[in-house]
Amino acid sequence: MAVIEVNNLTKDYGHGRGIYDVTFEVNKGETLGFLGPNGAGKSTTIRHLMGFAAPQKGYAKILGMDCRKDYAKILKSVGYLPGEVELPEGLNGNGFIDMMQGLRKAKNQEGVIKLSEIFEIDLQQNVKRMSIGEKRKLAVIAAFMNDPEILLLDEPTSGLDPVMQEKFIEFIKDEKKRGKTILLSSHMFAEVEALCDRIAIIKDGRIVSVVDAAEVKHGLRKIVEITFIGKEDYKRFLNEKFEFESMNEKQLKVEIVMEDADVNKFLAVIVSYNVKFFVENPVTLEEYFMHFYKSDKKFGGVTNGKNH
């Protein structure tokens, strides 16, 4: 059963910025990783799910309710962790938590205490004096304090130190065991691999691939490295209809990208060549992701920062 439904969601801000026909769903008890670099459209999609923006086309639904029209009802079941944490000045951590509980009309002091101990934060501290990491921890407590069944997490570990990142990952693993439904937006491959059941890759506001995490781990695509005995065979092979990752005439070596469905075709072709050896290397999630971005000269890697 789909708990989160996004269908043809479109919001065009002009100049190539926005999201276009974004479609995916997250089933009950599933964690979907929303993977993409800064500006790809992750945060825009999540803001629509939170009812903060109205789409120009398509819809976003949670528990069968329209995210824009039924925002107040949906909020009772959703924990939201924004990508950028901005806290009101003049409050300490407890004051902020009290304010958020008041907005949600729900109080769970036991949950607040438990979370503050897990993430090691002093709630007496004034938010103005908090580091980026401490502000992120405070936002984590606000998102999880009422034990919501659905979680929208936008770059959740951004700003946390490595120890706290690991604690957060272990905490989410426990939440998964409890049957939570989670949409986790991230640019961190290790985080997505550790937590997600399926992965949706977004580029320039469009979903370019949705795959099972297990399939990527077990080699959805492979890099096959082939070394030829002679130059004639090497040059002839370059005319074959494969996706070439690299070519090295000096070493008489090529690398091709191959999916499982292409194996028989590859074997039928390679028997007519004099090959020194060939070896298959399963593609990591990072390599699979970069396959969609390698032609984008503006893209210099998945980095930290602001999403549009």
Side-chain angles (χ1 to χ4, degrees):
M1 174 193 154
V3 172
I4 299 171
E5 300 173 72
V6 176
N7 188 54
N8 293 326
L9 196 67
T10 299
K11 184 80 166 187
D12 190 349
Y13 294 108
H15 306 290
R17 291 173 63 248
I19 52 175
Y20 310 96
D21 296 312
V22 169
T23 299
F24 64 85
E25 60 184 36
V26 189
N27 297 314
K28 185 171 176 58
E30 180 184 37
T31 300
L32 178 73
F34 205 28
L35 183 62
N38 312 308
K42 304 190 301 294
S43 293
T44 299
T45 303
I46 290 177
R47 283 196 289 266
H48 278 77
L49 282 164
M50 284 300 296
F52 298 158
Q56 291 163 331
K57 191 177 80 170
Y59 63 79
K61 290 182 179 180
I62 292 177
L63 295 172
M65 295 181 281
D66 185 274
C67 291
R68 186 70 171 173
K69 294 175 189 169
D70 301 311
Y71 166 78
K73 289 180 190 173
I74 291 168
L75 197 60
K76 294 173 185 174
S77 304
V78 173
Y80 169 54
L81 183 57
E84 293 184 0
V85 179
E86 292 184 19
L87 303 174
E89 292 187 11
L91 295 175
N92 65 9
N94 279 320
F96 174 73
I97 292 299
D98 287 344
M99 183 185 80
M100 295 304 292
Q101 287 180 331
L103 288 170
R104 288 178 173 269
K105 297 183 174 66
K107 210 167 180 71
N108 182 2
Q109 205 55 33
E110 190 182 325
V112 171
I113 292 167
K114 181 185 172 186
L115 288 161
S116 63
E117 288 173 353
I118 290 172
F119 292 104
E120 301 172 19
I121 181 170
D122 177 11
L123 295 178
Q124 298 292 337
Q125 189 178 356
N126 191 300
V127 297
K128 192 175 183 180
R129 290 196 293 273
M130 286 183 177
S131 66
I132 292 171
E134 287 168 325
K135 288 177 180 177
R136 172 62 59 176
K137 291 178 193 178
L138 191 57
V140 168
I141 292 172
F144 287 88
M145 63 187 175
N146 292 324
D147 199 20
E149 60 179 289
I150 301 159
L151 295 157
L152 304 178
L153 310 176
D154 193 359
E155 301 284 355
T157 61
S158 174
L160 295 180
D161 64 46
V163 173
M164 279 299 145
Q165 285 180 5
E166 196 56 43
K167 271 199 175 181
F168 183 85
I169 287 171
E170 291 307 311
F171 175 72
I172 294 297
K173 284 179 179 177
D174 289 339
E175 293 292 282
K176 281 169 62 71
K177 286 174 188 171
R178 295 176 62 218
K180 300 297 180 75
T181 302
I182 305 170
L183 174 62
L184 187 151
S185 143
S186 183
H187 63 267
M188 296 173 67
F189 301 108
E191 185 173 271
V192 170
E193 282 184 305
L195 295 174
C196 299
D197 304 303
R198 287 188 303 129
I199 301 161
I201 296 175
I202 186 166
K203 176 183 179 182
D204 299 333
R206 299 179 190 275
I207 301 283
V208 293
S209 180
V210 181
V211 294
D212 286 342
E215 287 183 357
V216 175
K217 285 176 187 173
H218 297 127
L220 187 72
R221 292 162 65 86
K222 299 176 177 67
I223 302 287
V224 181
E225 180 185 306
I226 310 157
T227 302
F228 295 92
I229 291 172
K231 188 176 283 190
E232 187 179 318
D233 275 347
Y234 166 83
K235 287 188 171 179
R236 181 162 63 92
F237 188 81
L238 298 182
N239 295 316
E240 299 286 356
K241 289 183 169 61
F242 291 108
E243 182 183 337
F244 287 85
E245 185 75 9
S246 70
M247 294 164 277
N248 188 321
E249 186 173 344
K250 190 174 180 181
Q251 295 179 4
L252 302 180
K253 185 192 294 182
V254 299
E255 288 182 328
I256 61 170
V257 178
M258 191 168 64
E259 298 185 11
D260 285 346
D262 300 327
V263 171
N264 289 337
K265 174 192 166 189
F266 168 73
L267 293 174
V269 167
I270 203 67
V271 292
S272 66
Y273 289 87
N274 291 312
V275 172
K276 200 172 187 178
F277 64 83
F278 69 86
V279 61
E280 283 184 10
N281 299 307
V283 173
T284 65
L285 175 59
E286 183 173 354
E287 288 167 332
Y288 180 73
F289 174 88
M290 290 304 296
H291 164 74
F292 295 101
Y293 278 89
K294 64 184 180 182
S295 61
D296 186 349
K297 294 184 174 64
K298 294 180 288 184
F299 182 71
V302 185
T303 55
N304 217 342
K306 186 174 180 180
N307 240 350
H308 297 296

